[in-house]
């Protein structure tokens, strides 16, 4: 009789939402899905669409300008290089705007309470937000980096390399660089309540990161996220005898892709660690 009563009481005990195994295997996708659903109907998507439109319009005007210019400048690599340089200039500022929006909606939509009710830690929340913000930011640059060489090729631009490498290598570095920048800005947004701090850091980082190339100090970009795109630039710039700039793709851009990935992992790890420690002390 006692055995029957004991089994009955065990069956009536409240069960936690999902088992340990279910949480372990489904939590990453579940967290990302919750982050995306949280943004439904928010201004986040309008901000993203505006950013993509802005960079794409600028890219289109750059192609149009070269179309009517000197024939020596109508090359795919030079056009790609123009678009690629916008990463170090715009990524930190745009990342600050996107990540601050995610942080604001965390409390306004009471998502922080929902995370706690599910027993999810700060690290999981950080990576879920990073997946959304980093992917969104990378699309701002990957989209024009993809269609620009195709449009230029259709208008008679000269191709001085494999089109697949010319599209894929800059796009991968843009994605990796965007993740690195988004990680730092997300850390600032989640640990500092004042949005002006993240935006100020973004402005300074954009000025420094975009200035490394002209100062011939691109290698210093490995020491901070906003400079990764400059340090890992797959383009070599030379000046011809007639005074026009000429860009070529490096012989092996995949080494730069791998190196930038290693730097990205380091910066993401640092950002996640700082966020976890900061949130655990609140």
């Amino acid at each position: 009789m006692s055995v029957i009563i004991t089994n009955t009481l065990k069956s009536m005990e409240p069960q936690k939402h999902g088992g340990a195994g279910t949480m372990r295997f489904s939590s990453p996708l579940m967290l990302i899905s919750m982050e995306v659903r949280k943004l439904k109907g928010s201004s986040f998507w309008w901000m993203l669409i505006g950013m993509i439109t802005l960079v794409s319009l600028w890219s289109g005007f750059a192609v149009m300008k070269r179309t009517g210019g000197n024939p020596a400048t109508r090359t795919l690599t030079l056009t790609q290089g123009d678009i690629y340089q916008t990463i170090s200039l715009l990524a930190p500022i745009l990342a600050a705007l996107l990540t601050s929006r995610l942080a604001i909606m965390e409390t306004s939509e009471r998502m922080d309470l929902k995370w706690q009710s599910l027993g999810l830690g700060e690290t999981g929340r950080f990576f879920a937000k990073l997946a959304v913000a980093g992917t969104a930011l990378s699309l701002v640059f990957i989209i024009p980096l993809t269609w620009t060489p195709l449009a230029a090729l259709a208008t008679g631009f000269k191709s001085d390399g494999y089109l697949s490498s010319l599209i894929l290598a800059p796009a991968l570095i843009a994605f990796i660089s965007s993740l690195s920048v988004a990680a730092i800005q997300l850390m600032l947004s989640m640990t500092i309540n004042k949005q002006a701090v993240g935006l100020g850091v973004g402005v300074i980082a954009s000025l420094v990161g975009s200035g490394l190339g002209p100062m011939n100090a691109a290698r210093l970009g490995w020491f901070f996220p906003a400079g990764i795109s400059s340090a890992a630039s797959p383009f070599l710039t030379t000046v011809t005898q007639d005074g026009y700039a000429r860009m070529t793709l490096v012989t092996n851009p995949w080494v730069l892709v791998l190196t930038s990935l290693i730097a990205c992992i380091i910066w993401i790890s640092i950002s996640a660690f700082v966020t976890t420690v900061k949130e655990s002390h609140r």
Side-chain angles (χ1 to χ4, degrees), residues 158-220:
K158 179 183 177 182
S159 176
D160 47 5
Y162 292 106
L163 184 62
S164 58
S165 299
L166 189 60
I167 293 178
L168 189 57
L172 285 175
I173 297 176
F175 176 74
I176 294 170
S177 179
S178 297
L179 280 180
S180 304
V181 174
I184 293 296
Q185 289 294 342
L186 184 60
M187 176 196 70
L188 295 175
S189 298
M190 294 181 66
T191 57
I192 301 176
N193 295 327
K194 296 182 179 180
Q195 301 179 41
V197 175
L199 185 58
V201 172
V203 172
I204 296 174
S206 67
L207 294 176
V208 176
S210 60
L212 292 176
M215 292 188 300
N216 295 322
R219 292 185 178 181
L220 295 177

Side-chain angles (χ1 to χ4, degrees), residues 5-72:
I5 295 175
T6 302
N7 292 335
T8 304
L9 291 175
K10 287 184 178 180
S11 63
M12 294 177 62
E13 290 179 355
Q15 299 294 323
K16 294 183 179 180
H17 182 74
T22 302
M23 182 64 69
R24 183 181 300 112
F25 291 105
S26 65
S27 58
L29 293 178
M30 182 190 69
L31 289 175
I32 296 174
S33 176
M34 291 176 65
E35 283 290 341
V36 173
R37 289 199 301 267
K38 179 187 72 176
L39 297 172
K40 184 179 180 180
S42 70
S43 59
F44 179 90
W45 302 114
W46 292 111
M47 292 171 59
L48 177 59
I49 293 174
M51 294 173 184
I52 294 175
T53 304
L54 175 65
V55 179
S56 294
L57 284 175
W58 188 92
S59 304
F61 289 138
V63 173
M64 292 172 60
K65 182 179 179 180
R66 294 200 178 278
T67 301
N70 190 297

Side-chain angles (χ1 to χ4, degrees), residues 79 84 92 230:
T79 304
Y84 182 86
S230 297

Side-chain angles (χ1 to χ4, degrees), residues 30-124:
M30 182 190 69
L31 289 175
I32 296 174
S33 176
M34 291 176 65
E35 283 290 341
V36 173
R37 289 199 301 267
K38 179 187 72 176
L39 297 172
K40 184 179 180 180
S42 70
S43 59
F44 179 90
W45 302 114
W46 292 111
M47 292 171 59
L48 177 59
I49 293 174
M51 294 173 184
I52 294 175
T53 304
L54 175 65
V55 179
S56 294
L57 284 175
W58 188 92
S59 304
F61 289 138
V63 173
M64 292 172 60
K65 182 179 179 180
R66 294 200 178 278
T67 301
N70 190 297
T73 65
R74 291 201 292 267
T75 63
L76 294 183
T77 50
L78 191 57
T79 304
Q80 276 287 81
D82 290 341
I83 312 305
Y84 182 86
Q85 291 175 1
T86 63
I87 301 174
S88 58
L89 178 62
L90 297 178
I93 300 176
L94 301 183
L97 296 175
L98 293 176
T99 54
S100 63
R101 186 58 186 165
L102 285 176
I104 290 174
M105 295 192 67
E106 182 78 357
T107 55
S108 63
E109 299 293 334
R110 298 183 181 273
M111 284 296 294
D112 52 345
L113 299 179
K114 195 166 187 178
W115 298 132
Q116 295 176 6
S117 66
L118 292 173
L120 302 174
E122 291 80 8
T123 304

